[in-house]
Coordinates of all heavy atoms in Angstrom, one line a residue:
M1 N 92.6 105.2 116.9 CA 92.0 103.7 116.6 C 90.9 103.6 117.4 O 90.6 104.1 118.5 CB 93.0 102.7 117.1 CG 92.6 101.2 116.9 SD 94.0 100.1 117.2 CE 93.2 99.0 118.4
S2 N 89.8 102.9 116.7 CA 88.5 102.8 117.3 C 88.6 101.9 118.6 O 89.5 100.9 118.7 CB 87.7 102.1 116.2 OG 86.4 101.9 116.8
N3 N 87.5 102.0 119.5 CA 87.5 100.9 120.6 C 86.7 99.7 120.2 O 86.4 99.0 121.1 CB 87.1 101.6 121.8 CG 85.7 102.1 121.8 OD1 85.1 102.0 120.6 ND2 85.1 102.5 122.8
H4 N 86.2 99.6 119.0 CA 85.6 98.3 118.6 C 85.8 98.1 117.1 O 86.3 99.0 116.3 CB 84.0 98.6 118.8 CG 83.4 99.8 118.0 ND1 83.6 101.0 118.5 CD2 82.7 99.8 116.9 CE1 82.9 101.8 117.7 NE2 82.4 101.1 116.7
T5 N 85.7 97.0 116.7 CA 85.7 96.5 115.3 C 84.5 95.9 114.8 O 83.9 95.0 115.6 CB 86.9 95.4 115.2 OG1 88.1 96.0 115.7 CG2 87.1 94.9 113.8
I6 N 84.0 96.2 113.7 CA 82.8 95.6 113.0 C 83.3 94.5 112.0 O 84.2 94.8 111.3 CB 81.9 96.6 112.4 CG1 81.5 97.7 113.4 CG2 80.7 95.8 111.7 CD1 80.8 98.9 112.8
V7 N 82.8 93.1 112.2 CA 83.2 92.1 111.4 C 82.0 91.6 110.7 O 81.0 91.3 111.4 CB 84.0 91.0 112.2 CG1 84.4 89.9 111.2 CG2 85.1 91.5 112.9
I8 N 82.1 91.5 109.3 CA 81.1 91.1 108.5 C 81.3 89.6 108.0 O 82.3 89.4 107.3 CB 80.7 91.9 107.5 CG1 80.5 93.4 107.9 CG2 79.5 91.6 106.5 CD1 80.6 94.5 106.9
P9 N 80.5 88.6 108.3 CA 80.7 87.2 107.7 C 80.4 87.3 106.2 O 79.4 87.8 105.8 CB 79.8 86.3 108.5 CG 78.7 87.1 108.9 CD 79.3 88.6 109.1
V10 N 81.3 86.7 105.3 CA 81.0 86.6 103.9 C 81.2 85.1 103.4 O 81.9 84.4 104.2 CB 81.8 87.6 103.1 CG1 81.6 89.0 103.7 CG2 83.4 87.4 103.3
E11 N 80.8 84.8 102.3 CA 81.1 83.5 101.7 C 82.1 83.4 100.8 O 83.0 82.6 100.8 CB 79.7 82.9 101.1 CG 78.7 82.6 102.1 CD 77.5 81.9 101.4 OE1 77.6 81.4 100.4 OE2 76.4 82.0 102.0
D12 N 82.3 84.5 99.9 CA 83.3 84.5 98.9 C 84.2 85.8 99.2 O 83.7 86.9 99.0 CB 82.6 84.7 97.6 CG 83.6 84.6 96.4 OD1 84.7 85.3 96.4 OD2 83.2 84.1 95.3
L13 N 85.3 85.5 99.7 CA 86.2 86.7 100.2 C 86.6 87.5 99.0 O 86.5 88.7 99.1 CB 87.5 86.1 100.8 CG 88.3 87.0 101.5 CD1 87.6 87.9 102.6 CD2 89.5 86.4 102.2
A14 N 86.9 87.0 97.8 CA 87.4 87.8 96.8 C 86.2 88.7 96.3 O 86.4 89.9 96.0 CB 87.9 87.0 95.5
T15 N 85.0 88.2 96.1 CA 83.9 89.0 95.7 C 83.5 90.0 96.7 O 83.2 91.1 96.4 CB 82.7 88.0 95.3 OG1 83.1 87.1 94.4 CG2 81.5 88.8 95.0
A16 N 83.5 89.6 98.0 CA 83.3 90.6 99.0 C 84.3 91.7 99.2 O 83.9 92.8 99.4 CB 83.1 89.8 100.5
T17 N 85.6 91.3 98.9 CA 86.7 92.3 99.0 C 86.4 93.3 97.9 O 86.5 94.5 98.1 CB 88.0 91.7 98.8 OG1 88.2 90.9 99.9 CG2 89.1 92.7 98.9
A18 N 86.0 92.8 96.8 CA 85.8 93.9 95.7 C 84.6 94.8 95.9 O 84.6 95.8 95.7 CB 85.6 93.1 94.2
F19 N 83.6 94.1 96.4 CA 82.2 94.8 96.7 C 82.6 95.9 97.8 O 82.3 97.1 97.5 CB 81.2 93.9 97.3 CG 79.9 94.6 97.8 CD1 79.1 95.0 96.9 CD2 79.9 94.9 99.1 CE1 77.9 95.7 97.4 CE2 78.8 95.6 99.5 CZ 77.8 96.0 98.6
Y20 N 83.3 95.5 98.9 CA 83.4 96.4 99.9 C 84.5 97.5 99.6 O 84.4 98.6 100.0 CB 83.7 95.8 101.4 CG 82.4 95.2 101.9 CD1 82.2 93.8 101.8 CD2 81.4 96.1 102.5 CE1 81.0 93.3 102.4 CE2 80.2 95.5 102.9 CZ 80.0 94.1 103.0 OH 79.0 93.7 103.4
T21 N 85.4 97.2 98.7 CA 86.4 98.3 98.3 C 85.7 99.3 97.6 O 85.8 100.5 97.7 CB 87.4 97.5 97.4 OG1 88.2 96.6 98.2 CG2 88.5 98.5 96.9
T22 N 84.7 98.9 96.7 CA 83.9 99.9 95.9 C 82.9 100.5 96.8 O 82.9 101.9 96.9 CB 83.2 99.0 94.8 OG1 84.1 98.5 94.0 CG2 82.4 100.1 94.0
A23 N 82.2 99.9 97.7 CA 81.2 100.5 98.7 C 81.9 101.4 99.6 O 81.3 102.6 99.8 CB 80.6 99.3 99.4
F24 N 83.0 101.1 100.2 CA 83.6 102.0 101.2 C 84.5 103.1 100.4 O 85.0 104.1 101.2 CB 84.5 101.1 102.1 CG 83.8 100.2 103.0 CD1 84.5 99.0 103.3 CD2 82.5 100.4 103.3 CE1 83.7 98.2 104.2 CE2 81.8 99.5 104.1 CZ 82.5 98.3 104.6
G25 N 85.0 102.8 99.3 CA 85.8 103.7 98.6 C 87.2 103.7 99.0 O 88.0 104.8 98.8
V26 N 87.7 102.8 99.6 CA 89.1 102.6 100.1 C 89.6 101.2 99.9 O 88.9 100.4 99.9 CB 89.1 103.0 101.8 CG1 88.8 104.4 102.0 CG2 88.5 102.0 102.4
E27 N 90.9 101.1 99.7 CA 91.4 99.9 99.6 C 91.7 99.2 101.1 O 91.8 100.0 101.9 CB 92.9 99.9 98.9 CG 92.9 100.4 97.4 CD 92.3 99.4 96.6 OE1 92.6 98.1 96.8 OE2 91.6 99.8 95.7
P28 N 91.6 98.0 101.1 CA 91.8 97.3 102.4 C 93.3 97.4 103.0 O 94.2 97.5 102.1 CB 91.6 95.9 102.2 CG 91.7 95.6 100.7 CD 91.4 97.0 100.1
H29 N 93.4 97.6 104.3 CA 94.8 97.8 104.8 C 95.4 96.4 105.1 O 96.6 96.2 105.2 CB 94.8 98.6 106.1 CG 94.0 98.0 107.2 ND1 94.5 97.1 107.9 CD2 92.8 98.5 107.6 CE1 93.5 96.7 108.8 NE2 92.5 97.6 108.7
T30 N 94.5 95.4 105.2 CA 95.1 94.0 105.5 C 94.2 93.0 104.6 O 92.9 93.2 104.4 CB 94.7 93.7 106.9 OG1 95.4 94.5 107.9 CG2 95.1 92.1 107.2
E31 N 95.0 92.1 103.9 CA 94.4 91.1 103.0 C 95.0 89.7 103.5 O 96.1 89.5 103.0 CB 94.5 91.4 101.6 CG 93.6 92.6 101.2 CD 93.6 92.7 99.6 OE1 92.8 91.9 98.9 OE2 94.2 93.7 99.2
T32 N 94.3 88.9 104.1 CA 94.8 87.6 104.4 C 93.6 86.6 104.0 O 92.5 87.0 103.7 CB 94.9 87.4 105.8 OG1 93.8 87.5 106.7 CG2 96.0 88.5 106.4
P33 N 93.9 85.3 103.9 CA 93.0 84.3 103.6 C 91.8 84.2 104.6 O 90.7 83.7 104.3 CB 93.7 83.0 103.5 CG 95.1 83.4 103.4 CD 95.3 84.7 104.0
Y34 N 91.9 84.8 105.8 CA 90.9 84.6 106.9 C 90.5 86.0 107.3 O 89.5 86.0 108.2 CB 91.7 83.9 108.0 CG 92.9 84.4 108.7 CD1 92.7 85.5 109.7 CD2 94.1 84.1 108.2 CE1 94.0 86.2 110.1 CE2 95.3 84.7 108.6 CZ 95.2 85.8 109.6 OH 96.3 86.3 110.0
Y35 N 90.9 87.2 106.9 CA 90.3 88.4 107.3 C 90.9 89.4 106.3 O 92.0 89.4 105.8 CB 90.9 88.8 108.6 CG 90.6 90.0 109.2 CD1 89.2 90.1 109.8 CD2 91.2 91.2 109.0 CE1 88.8 91.4 110.3 CE2 90.8 92.5 109.6 CZ 89.6 92.6 110.3 OH 89.1 93.7 110.7
V36 N 89.9 90.4 105.9 CA 90.2 91.5 105.1 C 89.8 92.7 105.9 O 88.6 92.9 106.3 CB 89.6 91.5 103.6 CG1 89.9 92.8 102.9 CG2 90.2 90.4 102.9
G37 N 90.8 93.7 106.2 CA 90.4 94.8 107.0 C 90.4 96.1 106.3 O 91.2 96.4 105.5
F38 N 89.3 97.0 106.5 CA 89.2 98.2 106.1 C 89.3 99.3 107.1 O 88.7 99.0 108.3 CB 88.0 98.4 105.2 CG 87.9 97.7 104.1 CD1 87.3 96.3 104.3 CD2 88.2 98.1 102.8 CE1 87.2 95.6 103.2 CE2 88.1 97.2 101.7 CZ 87.5 95.9 101.8
N39 N 89.8 100.5 107.0 CA 89.8 101.6 108.0 C 89.1 102.7 107.4 O 89.7 103.3 106.4 CB 91.3 102.0 108.4 CG 91.2 103.1 109.5 OD1 90.6 104.1 109.4 ND2 91.8 102.7 110.6
L40 N 88.0 103.0 108.0 CA 87.1 104.1 107.5 C 87.0 105.2 108.5 O 86.3 105.1 109.5 CB 85.7 103.6 107.2 CG 85.6 102.8 105.9 CD1 85.7 101.3 106.2 CD2 84.4 103.2 105.1
D41 N 87.8 106.2 108.4 CA 88.0 107.3 109.3 C 88.3 106.8 110.8 O 87.6 107.3 111.7 CB 86.8 108.3 109.2 CG 86.6 108.8 107.7 OD1 87.7 109.1 107.3 OD2 85.5 109.0 107.3
G42 N 89.1 105.8 110.9 CA 89.4 105.3 112.3 C 88.5 104.2 112.7 O 88.7 103.6 113.7
Q43 N 87.5 103.8 112.0 CA 86.6 102.8 112.3 C 87.1 101.5 111.5 O 87.1 101.5 110.3 CB 85.1 103.0 111.9 CG 84.2 101.8 112.0 CD 84.1 101.3 113.4 OE1 83.8 102.1 114.3 NE2 84.5 100.1 113.6
E44 N 87.5 100.4 112.2 CA 87.9 99.1 111.6 C 86.6 98.3 111.3 O 85.7 98.1 112.1 CB 88.8 98.2 112.6 CG 89.2 97.1 112.2 CD 90.2 97.0 111.0 OE1 90.8 98.0 110.7 OE2 90.5 95.9 110.6
I45 N 86.5 97.9 110.0 CA 85.5 97.2 109.5 C 86.3 96.0 108.7 O 87.1 96.1 107.9 CB 84.6 97.8 108.5 CG1 83.9 99.0 109.3 CG2 83.6 96.8 108.0 CD1 83.0 99.6 108.4
G46 N 85.9 94.8 109.1 CA 86.6 93.7 108.5 C 85.6 92.6 107.9 O 84.4 92.5 108.3
I47 N 86.0 91.8 107.0 CA 85.2 90.7 106.5 C 85.9 89.4 106.7 O 87.0 89.2 106.7 CB 84.8 91.0 104.9 CG1 86.1 91.2 104.1 CG2 84.0 92.2 104.7 CD1 85.8 91.3 102.6
N48 N 85.0 88.4 107.1 CA 85.5 87.1 107.6 C 84.9 86.0 106.8 O 83.6 85.9 106.8 CB 85.0 87.0 109.0 CG 85.5 85.6 109.5 OD1 86.0 84.8 108.8 ND2 85.2 85.4 110.8
P49 N 85.7 85.3 105.9 CA 85.2 84.3 105.1 C 84.8 83.0 106.0 O 84.1 82.0 105.3 CB 86.2 84.0 104.0 CG 87.5 84.2 104.9 CD 87.2 85.3 105.7
N50 N 85.1 83.0 107.1 CA 84.9 81.9 108.0 C 83.9 82.1 109.1 O 83.8 81.4 110.2 CB 86.1 81.3 108.7 CG 87.3 81.0 107.6 OD1 87.0 80.1 106.8 ND2 88.3 81.6 107.9
G51 N 82.9 83.0 108.7 CA 81.9 83.4 109.7 C 80.9 82.3 110.2 O 80.7 82.3 111.3
D52 N 80.7 81.5 109.1 CA 79.8 80.3 109.4 C 80.4 79.4 110.4 O 79.9 78.9 111.5 CB 79.3 79.7 108.3 CG 80.3 79.2 107.3 OD1 81.5 79.6 107.4 OD2 80.0 78.3 106.5
K53 N 81.7 79.1 110.1 CA 82.5 78.2 110.8 C 82.7 78.8 112.3 O 82.8 78.1 113.4 CB 83.8 77.9 110.3 CG 84.6 76.8 111.1 CD 86.0 76.5 110.5 CE 86.8 77.6 110.4 NZ 88.2 77.4 110.1
D54 N 82.9 80.1 112.5 CA 83.0 80.8 113.7 C 81.7 81.1 114.4 O 81.7 81.7 115.4 CB 83.7 82.1 113.4 CG 85.2 81.9 113.0 OD1 85.7 80.8 113.1 OD2 85.7 83.0 112.4
Q55 N 80.5 80.6 113.9 CA 79.2 80.6 114.4 C 78.8 82.2 114.5 O 77.8 82.5 115.3 CB 79.3 80.0 115.7 CG 79.6 78.6 115.8 CD 79.7 77.8 117.1 OE1 78.6 77.9 117.8 NE2 80.6 77.3 117.5
M56 N 79.3 82.9 113.5 CA 78.5 84.3 113.5 C 77.1 84.2 112.9 O 77.0 83.6 111.8 CB 79.6 85.1 112.6 CG 80.9 85.5 113.3 SD 82.0 86.4 112.2 CE 81.1 88.0 112.2
A57 N 76.3 84.9 113.4 CA 74.9 84.9 112.8 C 74.6 86.0 112.0 O 73.6 86.1 111.3 CB 73.8 84.9 114.0
G58 N 75.6 87.0 111.9 CA 75.5 88.2 111.1 C 76.7 89.2 111.5 O 77.6 88.6 112.1
P59 N 76.7 90.4 111.0 CA 77.8 91.3 111.5 C 77.9 91.3 112.8 O 76.7 91.2 113.7 CB 77.2 92.6 110.8 CG 76.4 92.2 109.7 CD 75.6 91.0 110.1
V60 N 79.0 91.4 113.4 CA 79.2 91.5 115.0 C 80.1 92.6 115.3 O 81.2 92.8 114.6 CB 79.9 90.2 115.5 CG1 80.3 90.3 116.9 CG2 79.0 88.9 115.3
V61 N 79.8 93.4 116.3 CA 80.8 94.4 117.0 C 81.6 93.7 118.0 O 81.1 93.1 118.9 CB 79.9 95.6 117.5 CG1 80.9 96.6 118.0 CG2 79.0 96.3 116.4
Y62 N 82.8 93.8 117.8 CA 83.8 93.2 118.8 C 84.3 94.4 119.5 O 85.0 95.4 119.0 CB 85.1 92.5 118.1 CG 84.6 91.1 117.5 CD1 84.1 91.0 116.3 CD2 84.8 90.1 118.4 CE1 83.6 89.7 115.9 CE2 84.5 88.8 117.8 CZ 83.9 88.7 116.7 OH 83.6 87.4 116.1
W63 N 84.1 94.5 120.8 CA 84.6 95.6 121.7 C 86.0 95.2 122.3 O 86.2 94.1 122.8 CB 83.6 95.8 122.8 CG 82.3 96.4 122.2 CD1 81.1 95.6 122.0 CD2 81.9 97.7 122.0 NE1 80.2 96.4 121.4 CE2 80.7 97.7 121.4 CE3 82.7 98.9 122.1 CZ2 80.0 98.9 121.1 CZ3 82.0 100.1 121.7 CH2 80.8 100.1 121.2
S64 N 86.9 96.2 122.3 CA 88.2 96.1 122.9 C 88.1 95.9 124.3 O 87.4 96.6 124.9 CB 89.1 97.2 122.4 OG 89.2 97.1 121.1
T65 N 89.0 94.9 124.8 CA 89.2 94.8 126.2 C 90.5 94.5 126.6 O 91.2 93.8 125.8 CB 88.1 93.8 126.8 OG1 88.4 93.7 128.3 CG2 88.3 92.4 126.3
D66 N 91.0 94.8 127.7 CA 92.4 94.6 128.2 C 92.5 93.2 128.8 O 93.6 92.6 128.7 CB 92.9 95.6 129.2 CG 93.1 97.0 128.6 OD1 93.4 97.0 127.4 OD2 93.0 97.9 129.4
D67 N 91.3 92.6 129.3 CA 91.3 91.3 130.0 C 90.2 90.6 129.3 O 89.2 90.7 129.9 CB 91.3 91.5 131.5 CG 91.5 90.2 132.2 OD1 91.3 89.1 131.6 OD2 91.8 90.3 133.3
L68 N 90.5 89.7 128.4 CA 89.5 89.1 127.7 C 88.8 88.0 128.4 O 87.5 87.9 128.6 CB 90.0 88.4 126.3 CG 89.2 87.8 125.3 CD1 88.1 88.9 124.9 CD2 89.9 87.4 124.1
A69 N 89.6 87.2 129.2 CA 88.9 86.2 130.1 C 88.1 86.7 131.1 O 86.9 86.3 131.4 CB 90.0 85.2 130.7
A70 N 88.5 87.7 131.7 CA 87.7 88.5 132.7 C 86.4 89.0 132.2 O 85.3 89.0 132.8 CB 88.4 89.6 133.5
K71 N 86.5 89.6 131.0 CA 85.3 90.2 130.3 C 84.3 89.1 130.0 O 83.1 89.1 130.2 CB 85.6 91.0 129.0 CG 84.4 91.5 128.4 CD 83.6 92.4 129.2 CE 84.2 93.8 129.5 NZ 83.2 94.7 130.2
V72 N 84.7 88.0 129.6 CA 83.8 86.8 129.2 C 83.1 86.3 130.3 O 81.9 86.1 130.5 CB 84.7 85.7 128.5 CG1 83.9 84.4 128.3 CG2 85.1 86.0 127.1
A73 N 83.9 86.2 131.5 CA 83.2 85.7 132.8 C 82.3 86.8 133.2 O 81.3 86.3 133.8 CB 84.4 85.6 133.8
E74 N 82.5 87.9 133.1 CA 81.6 89.1 133.6 C 80.4 89.1 132.8 O 79.3 89.1 133.3 CB 82.4 90.4 133.4 CG 81.6 91.7 133.9 CD 82.2 93.0 133.6 OE1 83.1 93.0 132.6 OE2 82.1 93.8 134.4
V75 N 80.5 88.8 131.4 CA 79.4 88.8 130.5 C 78.5 87.5 130.8 O 77.2 87.6 130.9 CB 79.7 89.0 129.1 CG1 78.6 88.8 128.1 CG2 80.3 90.4 129.0
E76 N 79.2 86.4 131.1 CA 78.4 85.2 131.4 C 77.7 85.4 132.6 O 76.5 84.9 132.8 CB 79.4 84.0 131.6 CG 79.7 83.2 130.3 CD 80.5 82.1 130.6 OE1 81.6 82.1 131.1 OE2 80.0 80.9 130.4
A77 N 78.3 86.0 133.6 CA 77.6 86.2 134.9 C 76.3 87.1 134.9 O 75.5 87.1 135.7 CB 78.6 86.8 136.0
A78 N 76.4 88.1 133.8 CA 75.2 88.8 133.5 C 74.2 88.2 132.6 O 73.2 88.9 132.3 CB 75.8 90.2 132.9
G79 N 74.4 86.9 132.4 CA 73.3 86.2 131.6 C 73.8 85.9 130.1 O 72.9 85.4 129.4
G80 N 75.0 86.3 129.8 CA 75.5 85.9 128.4 C 75.9 84.5 128.3 O 76.2 83.7 129.2
T81 N 75.9 84.1 126.9 CA 76.3 82.7 126.7 C 77.5 82.7 125.8 O 77.6 83.5 124.8 CB 75.2 82.1 125.8 OG1 74.1 82.0 126.7 CG2 75.6 80.5 125.5
V82 N 78.4 81.9 126.0 CA 79.6 81.9 125.1 C 79.3 81.2 123.9 O 78.8 80.0 123.8 CB 80.9 81.1 125.8 CG1 82.0 80.9 124.7 CG2 81.2 81.9 127.0
V83 N 79.5 81.7 122.7 CA 79.2 81.1 121.5 C 80.6 80.5 120.8 O 80.7 79.4 120.3 CB 78.7 82.2 120.4 CG1 78.5 81.6 118.9 CG2 77.3 82.7 120.8
R84 N 81.6 81.4 120.9 CA 83.0 81.0 120.6 C 83.9 81.4 121.6 O 84.0 82.7 122.1 CB 83.3 81.6 119.2 CG 84.8 81.3 118.7 CD 85.2 81.9 117.4 NE 86.4 81.3 116.9 CZ 87.2 82.0 116.1 NH1 86.8 83.2 115.6 NH2 88.3 81.5 115.6
P85 N 84.5 80.5 122.3 CA 85.3 80.8 123.5 C 86.6 81.5 123.0 O 86.9 81.7 121.8 CB 85.7 79.4 124.1 CG 85.6 78.4 122.9 CD 84.6 79.0 122.1
V86 N 87.3 82.1 124.0 CA 88.5 83.0 123.8 C 89.4 82.1 122.8 O 89.8 80.9 123.0 CB 89.3 83.1 125.1 CG1 90.6 83.9 124.7 CG2 88.4 84.1 125.9
T87 N 89.7 82.7 121.6 CA 90.4 82.1 120.6 C 91.6 83.0 120.1 O 91.3 84.1 119.8 CB 89.6 81.7 119.4 OG1 88.5 80.8 120.0 CG2 90.3 80.9 118.3
Q88 N 92.7 82.4 119.9 CA 93.8 83.3 119.3 C 93.5 83.1 117.8 O 93.5 82.1 117.3 CB 95.2 82.8 119.7 CG 95.4 83.0 121.2 CD 97.1 82.7 121.4 OE1 97.6 82.2 120.6 NE2 97.3 82.7 122.7
V89 N 93.5 84.4 117.1 CA 93.3 84.3 115.7 C 94.4 84.8 114.9 O 94.3 85.0 113.6 CB 91.9 85.2 115.4 CG1 90.9 84.5 115.9 CG2 92.1 86.6 115.9
G90 N 95.6 85.2 115.5 CA 96.7 85.6 114.7 C 97.2 87.0 115.0 O 96.3 87.8 115.4
G91 N 98.4 87.2 114.8 CA 98.9 88.5 114.9 C 98.9 89.1 116.3 O 98.7 90.2 116.6
G92 N 98.7 88.2 117.3 CA 98.7 88.6 118.7 C 97.2 89.1 119.1 O 97.2 89.5 120.1
T93 N 96.2 88.7 118.3 CA 94.8 89.0 118.6 C 94.2 87.8 119.1 O 94.2 86.7 118.5 CB 94.2 89.7 117.3 OG1 94.9 90.8 116.8 CG2 92.8 89.8 117.5
S94 N 93.3 88.0 120.0 CA 92.5 87.0 120.7 C 91.0 87.6 120.6 O 90.9 88.7 120.8 CB 92.8 86.5 122.0 OG 94.1 85.9 122.0
L95 N 90.0 86.7 120.4 CA 88.7 87.1 120.6 C 87.8 86.2 121.1 O 88.1 85.0 121.3 CB 88.2 87.6 119.2 CG 88.3 86.6 118.0 CD1 87.1 85.8 118.0 CD2 88.3 87.5 116.7
A96 N 86.6 86.6 121.6 CA 85.5 85.7 121.9 C 84.2 86.1 121.5 O 84.0 87.4 121.3 CB 85.5 85.7 123.5
L97 N 83.3 85.3 121.1 CA 82.0 85.7 120.7 C 81.0 85.1 121.7 O 80.9 84.1 122.1 CB 81.6 85.0 119.3 CG 80.3 85.4 118.7 CD1 80.2 86.8 118.3 CD2 80.2 84.6 117.3
M98 N 80.0 86.1 122.1 CA 79.0 85.9 123.1 C 77.6 86.1 122.5 O 77.6 86.8 121.5 CB 79.2 86.8 124.3 CG 80.7 86.9 124.8 SD 81.1 85.5 125.9 CE 79.8 85.7 127.3
A99 N 76.7 85.6 123.2 CA 75.2 86.1 122.9 C 74.6 86.5 124.1 O 74.7 86.1 125.2 CB 74.5 84.8 122.5
D100 N 73.8 87.5 124.0 CA 72.9 88.1 125.1 C 71.8 87.1 125.3 O 71.6 86.2 124.6 CB 72.5 89.5 124.8 CG 71.4 89.7 123.8 OD1 70.8 88.7 123.3 OD2 71.1 90.8 123.4
P101 N 70.9 87.4 126.4 CA 69.9 86.4 126.8 C 68.8 86.3 125.4 O 68.2 85.2 125.4 CB 69.1 87.0 127.9 CG 70.3 87.6 128.6 CD 71.1 88.2 127.4
A102 N 68.8 87.2 124.6 CA 67.8 87.2 123.4 C 68.6 86.5 122.2 O 67.7 86.3 121.3 CB 67.3 88.5 123.1
G103 N 69.8 86.2 122.4 CA 70.5 85.6 121.3 C 71.3 86.4 120.3 O 71.9 86.1 119.4
N104 N 71.3 87.7 120.7 CA 72.1 88.7 119.9 C 73.5 88.5 120.2 O 73.9 88.3 121.3 CB 71.6 90.2 120.1 CG 70.2 90.4 119.8 OD1 69.7 90.3 118.8 ND2 69.4 90.7 120.9
Q105 N 74.4 88.6 119.2 CA 75.7 88.4 119.4 C 76.6 89.6 119.5 O 76.3 90.7 118.9 CB 76.3 87.6 118.2 CG 75.8 86.2 118.0 CD 76.4 85.5 117.0 OE1 76.9 85.9 115.9 NE2 76.5 84.2 117.0
V106 N 77.5 89.6 120.4 CA 78.4 90.6 120.7 C 79.8 90.0 120.9 O 80.0 88.9 121.5 CB 78.1 91.5 121.8 CG1 78.0 90.6 123.2 CG2 79.0 92.6 121.9
G107 N 80.9 90.5 120.4 CA 82.2 90.0 120.6 C 83.1 90.9 121.4 O 82.8 92.2 121.6
F108 N 84.1 90.4 121.8 CA 85.3 90.9 122.6 C 86.5 90.7 122.1 O 86.8 89.5 121.8 CB 85.1 90.6 124.1 CG 83.9 91.1 124.7 CD1 82.8 90.2 124.8 CD2 83.5 92.5 125.0 CE1 81.5 90.6 125.3 CE2 82.3 92.8 125.5 CZ 81.3 91.8 125.6
I109 N 87.4 91.6 121.9 CA 88.8 91.4 121.3 C 89.8 92.0 122.1 O 89.6 93.1 122.8 CB 88.7 92.0 119.9 CG1 90.0 91.6 119.2 CG2 88.4 93.6 120.0 CD1 89.7 91.9 117.6
T110 N 90.9 91.3 122.2 CA 92.3 91.8 122.8 C 93.3 91.8 121.6 O 93.5 90.6 121.0 CB 92.6 91.1 124.1 OG1 91.7 91.2 125.0 CG2 94.0 91.5 124.5
Q111 N 93.9 93.0 121.3 CA 95.0 92.9 120.5 C 96.3 93.1 121.1 O 96.6 94.1 121.9 CB 94.9 94.1 119.3 CG 93.5 93.8 118.7 CD 93.2 94.9 117.7 OE1 93.8 95.9 117.6 NE2 92.1 94.6 116.9
G112 N 97.3 92.1 120.9 CA 98.6 92.2 121.6 C 99.6 92.7 120.9 O 100.5 93.1 120.9

């Protein structure tokens, strides 16, 4: 399993699922109304139809961490800004979206 997940915000989940299934050449391993996930040689790539609501400015790399709250505090102390606070998103998974001082987004994820 990869130590990070790439999530791409999309507007139309069905159209995006068809596109990425063709583009990646694999069927999704997860299809829900809020996330469709693909595994490409161990790399998790997901599409999110709620990216605008989740304040995603574009594709985001979510880095795995064992202690999400501690990582958010550490990144804030280093000059980062919380875009989306720690949020449970289902299936025992929680994530947070941060921005660096230049406004670039990076995420952190814990899977339980």
